[in-house]
Coordinates of all heavy atoms in Angstrom, one line a residue:
I291 N 44.5 56.3 189.1 CA 43.5 55.9 188.1 C 42.7 57.1 187.7 O 42.1 57.8 188.5 CB 42.6 54.8 188.7 CG1 43.5 53.6 189.1 CG2 41.6 54.3 187.6 CD1 42.6 52.4 189.8
T292 N 42.7 57.3 186.4 CA 42.0 58.4 185.8 C 41.0 58.0 184.7 O 41.2 56.9 184.2 CB 42.9 59.5 185.2 OG1 43.6 58.9 184.1 CG2 44.0 59.9 186.2
I293 N 40.0 58.8 184.4 CA 39.1 58.6 183.3 C 39.0 59.9 182.5 O 39.0 61.0 183.0 CB 37.7 58.2 183.8 CG1 37.7 56.9 184.5 CG2 36.7 58.2 182.6 CD1 36.3 56.4 184.9
S294 N 39.1 59.7 181.1 CA 39.0 60.8 180.2 C 38.1 60.5 179.1 O 37.8 59.3 178.8 CB 40.3 61.3 179.8 OG 40.9 60.4 178.9
G295 N 37.7 61.5 178.3 CA 36.9 61.3 177.1 C 37.7 60.9 175.9 O 37.1 60.5 174.9
S296 N 39.0 60.9 176.0 CA 39.8 60.5 174.9 C 40.0 59.0 174.9 O 40.0 58.3 176.0 CB 41.2 61.2 174.9 OG 41.9 60.9 176.1
N297 N 40.3 58.4 173.7 CA 40.4 56.9 173.6 C 39.3 56.2 174.4 O 39.5 55.4 175.3 CB 41.8 56.4 174.2 CG 42.0 55.0 173.9 OD1 41.5 54.4 173.0 ND2 42.9 54.4 174.7
K298 N 38.0 56.6 174.1 CA 36.9 56.3 174.9 C 36.7 54.8 175.2 O 36.3 54.4 176.4 CB 35.6 56.8 174.2 CG 35.5 58.3 174.2 CD 34.1 58.7 173.6 CE 33.9 60.2 173.6 NZ 32.6 60.6 173.1
Q299 N 37.0 53.9 174.3 CA 36.8 52.5 174.5 C 38.1 51.7 174.9 O 38.0 50.5 175.1 CB 36.2 51.8 173.3 CG 34.8 52.4 172.9 CD 34.2 51.8 171.7 OE1 34.9 51.0 171.0 NE2 33.0 52.1 171.4
G300 N 39.1 52.5 175.2 CA 40.4 51.8 175.5 C 41.0 52.3 176.8 O 40.3 53.0 177.6
G301 N 42.2 51.9 177.1 CA 42.9 52.3 178.3 C 44.4 52.3 178.0 O 44.8 52.0 177.0
G302 N 45.1 52.7 179.0 CA 46.5 52.7 178.9 C 47.2 52.9 180.3 O 46.5 53.2 181.3
S303 N 48.5 52.7 180.4 CA 49.2 52.9 181.6 C 50.5 53.6 181.3 O 51.1 53.4 180.2 CB 49.5 51.6 182.3 OG 50.2 50.7 181.5
G304 N 51.0 54.4 182.2 CA 52.2 55.1 182.0 C 52.5 56.0 183.2 O 52.1 55.8 184.3
K305 N 53.3 57.1 182.9 CA 53.8 58.0 183.9 C 54.5 57.3 185.0 O 54.3 57.5 186.2 CB 52.6 58.9 184.5 CG 52.0 59.8 183.5 CD 50.9 60.6 184.1 CE 50.2 61.5 183.0 NZ 49.2 62.4 183.6
Y306 N 55.3 56.3 184.6 CA 56.1 55.5 185.5 C 57.2 56.3 186.2 O 57.9 57.1 185.5 CB 56.7 54.3 184.8 CG 55.7 53.4 184.1 CD1 55.7 53.3 182.7 CD2 54.7 52.8 184.8 CE1 54.8 52.5 182.0 CE2 53.7 52.0 184.1 CZ 53.8 51.9 182.7 OH 52.9 51.1 182.1
K307 N 57.4 56.1 187.5 CA 58.5 56.7 188.2 C 59.1 55.6 189.1 O 58.5 54.8 189.7 CB 58.0 57.9 189.0 CG 57.6 59.1 188.2 CD 57.3 60.3 189.1 CE 56.9 61.5 188.3 NZ 56.6 62.7 189.1
W308 N 60.5 55.7 189.2 CA 61.2 54.8 190.1 C 61.9 55.7 191.1 O 62.3 56.9 190.8 CB 62.3 54.0 189.3 CG 61.7 52.9 188.4 CD1 61.7 51.6 188.7 CD2 61.2 53.1 187.1 NE1 61.1 50.9 187.6 CE2 60.8 51.8 186.6 CE3 61.0 54.1 186.2 CZ2 60.3 51.5 185.4 CZ3 60.4 53.9 185.0 CH2 60.1 52.6 184.6
N309 N 62.2 55.1 192.2 CA 63.1 55.9 193.2 C 64.5 55.5 192.9 O 64.9 54.8 192.0 CB 62.7 55.5 194.6 CG 62.9 54.0 195.0 OD1 63.6 53.3 194.3 ND2 62.2 53.6 196.0
E310 N 65.4 56.1 193.7 CA 66.9 56.0 193.5 C 67.3 54.6 193.7 O 68.4 54.2 193.3 CB 67.6 57.0 194.3 CG 67.4 58.4 193.9 CD 68.2 59.4 194.7 OE1 68.8 59.0 195.7 OE2 68.2 60.6 194.4
A311 N 66.5 53.8 194.5 CA 66.9 52.4 194.7 C 66.4 51.5 193.6 O 66.7 50.3 193.6 CB 66.3 51.9 196.0
G312 N 65.8 52.1 192.6 CA 65.3 51.3 191.4 C 64.0 50.7 191.6 O 63.6 49.8 190.7
E313 N 63.2 51.0 192.6 CA 61.8 50.5 192.8 C 60.8 51.4 192.1 O 60.9 52.6 192.1 CB 61.5 50.5 194.3 CG 62.3 49.6 195.1 CD 61.9 49.8 196.6 OE1 62.0 50.9 197.1 OE2 61.5 48.7 197.2
L314 N 59.9 50.7 191.4 CA 58.8 51.5 190.8 C 57.9 52.0 191.9 O 57.4 51.3 192.8 CB 58.0 50.5 189.9 CG 56.9 51.2 189.1 CD1 57.4 52.1 188.0 CD2 55.9 50.2 188.5
V315 N 57.7 53.4 191.9 CA 57.0 54.0 193.0 C 55.7 54.7 192.6 O 55.0 55.2 193.4 CB 57.9 54.9 193.8 CG1 59.0 54.2 194.5 CG2 58.5 56.0 192.9
A316 N 55.5 54.8 191.3 CA 54.3 55.6 190.8 C 54.0 55.1 189.4 O 54.9 54.8 188.5 CB 54.6 57.1 190.8
A317 N 52.7 55.1 189.1 CA 52.2 54.7 187.7 C 50.8 55.2 187.6 O 50.1 55.4 188.7 CB 52.3 53.2 187.5
T318 N 50.3 55.4 186.4 CA 49.0 55.9 186.2 C 48.3 55.0 185.2 O 48.8 54.7 184.2 CB 49.0 57.3 185.7 OG1 49.5 58.2 186.6 CG2 47.5 57.8 185.3
I319 N 47.0 54.6 185.6 CA 46.2 53.9 184.6 C 45.1 54.9 184.1 O 44.4 55.6 184.9 CB 45.4 52.7 185.3 CG1 46.4 51.6 185.7 CG2 44.3 52.2 184.4 CD1 45.8 50.4 186.4
S320 N 45.1 55.1 182.8 CA 44.1 56.0 182.2 C 43.0 55.2 181.5 O 43.4 54.4 180.5 CB 44.8 56.9 181.2 OG 45.8 57.7 181.8
L321 N 41.8 55.3 181.9 CA 40.7 54.6 181.3 C 39.9 55.5 180.4 O 39.6 56.7 180.8 CB 39.8 54.0 182.4 CG 40.5 53.1 183.4 CD1 39.5 52.7 184.5 CD2 41.0 51.8 182.7
G322 N 39.4 55.0 179.3 CA 38.4 55.8 178.5 C 37.1 55.8 179.2 O 36.8 55.0 180.0
S323 N 36.3 56.7 178.7 CA 35.0 56.9 179.4 C 33.9 55.9 179.0 O 32.9 55.8 179.6 CB 34.4 58.3 179.1 OG 34.3 58.5 177.7
R324 N 34.2 55.1 178.0 CA 33.3 54.0 177.5 C 34.0 52.7 177.4 O 33.8 52.0 176.4 CB 32.6 54.5 176.2 CG 31.7 55.6 176.4 CD 30.2 55.2 176.6 NE 29.9 54.3 177.7 CZ 29.0 54.5 178.6 NH1 28.2 55.6 178.6 NH2 28.8 53.6 179.5
I325 N 34.8 52.3 178.4 CA 35.5 51.0 178.2 C 34.5 49.9 178.4 O 34.9 48.7 178.3 CB 36.6 50.9 179.3 CG1 36.1 51.1 180.7 CG2 37.7 51.9 178.9 CD1 37.2 50.7 181.7
D326 N 33.2 50.2 178.7 CA 32.2 49.1 178.7 C 31.7 48.8 177.3 O 30.8 48.0 177.2 CB 31.1 49.5 179.7 CG 30.5 50.9 179.4 OD1 31.1 51.6 178.5 OD2 29.5 51.2 180.0
Q327 N 32.3 49.4 176.3 CA 32.0 49.1 174.9 C 33.2 48.9 174.1 O 34.3 49.3 174.5 CB 31.2 50.4 174.4 CG 29.9 50.7 175.1 CD 29.3 52.0 174.6 OE1 29.9 52.6 173.6 NE2 28.3 52.4 175.2
G328 N 33.1 48.2 173.0 CA 34.2 48.0 172.1 C 35.1 46.8 172.4 O 35.5 46.6 173.6
F329 N 35.4 46.0 171.4 CA 36.3 44.9 171.6 C 37.5 45.0 170.7 O 37.3 45.0 169.5 CB 35.5 43.6 171.2 CG 34.3 43.4 172.1 CD1 33.0 44.0 171.8 CD2 34.3 42.7 173.3 CE1 31.9 43.8 172.6 CE2 33.2 42.5 174.1 CZ 32.0 43.1 173.8
P330 N 38.7 44.9 171.3 CA 39.9 45.0 170.4 C 40.1 43.8 169.6 O 39.5 42.7 169.9 CB 41.0 45.3 171.5 CG 40.5 44.6 172.7 CD 39.0 44.8 172.7
T331 N 41.0 43.8 168.7 CA 41.3 42.7 167.9 C 41.8 41.4 168.7 O 42.5 41.6 169.7 CB 42.4 43.0 166.8 OG1 42.8 41.9 166.1 CG2 43.6 43.6 167.5
S332 N 41.6 40.3 168.1 CA 42.0 39.0 168.8 C 43.5 38.8 168.6 O 44.1 37.9 169.3 CB 41.2 37.8 168.3 OG 41.4 37.7 166.9
V333 N 44.1 39.5 167.7 CA 45.6 39.2 167.4 C 46.4 39.5 168.7 O 47.2 38.7 169.1 CB 46.0 40.1 166.3 CG1 47.5 39.9 166.0 CG2 45.3 39.8 165.0
Y334 N 46.2 40.6 169.3 CA 47.0 41.0 170.5 C 46.1 41.0 171.8 O 46.7 41.1 172.9 CB 47.6 42.3 170.4 CG 48.7 42.3 169.3 CD1 48.6 43.1 168.1 CD2 49.9 41.6 169.5 CE1 49.6 43.1 167.2 CE2 50.9 41.6 168.5 CZ 50.7 42.3 167.4 OH 51.7 42.3 166.4

Side-chain angles (χ1 to χ4, degrees):
I291 301 177
T292 67
I293 293 184
S294 71
S296 60
N297 190 21
K298 289 186 177 181
Q299 297 179 354
S303 59
K305 298 184 179 180
Y306 304 116
K307 290 186 178 182
W308 288 261
N309 61 19
E310 293 182 352
E313 297 176 301
L314 186 69
V315 294
T318 296
I319 290 176
S320 301
L321 303 174
S323 59
R324 290 265 56 130
I325 59 170
D326 52 352
Q327 301 173 2
F329 299 87
T331 174
S332 60
V333 177
Y334 292 113

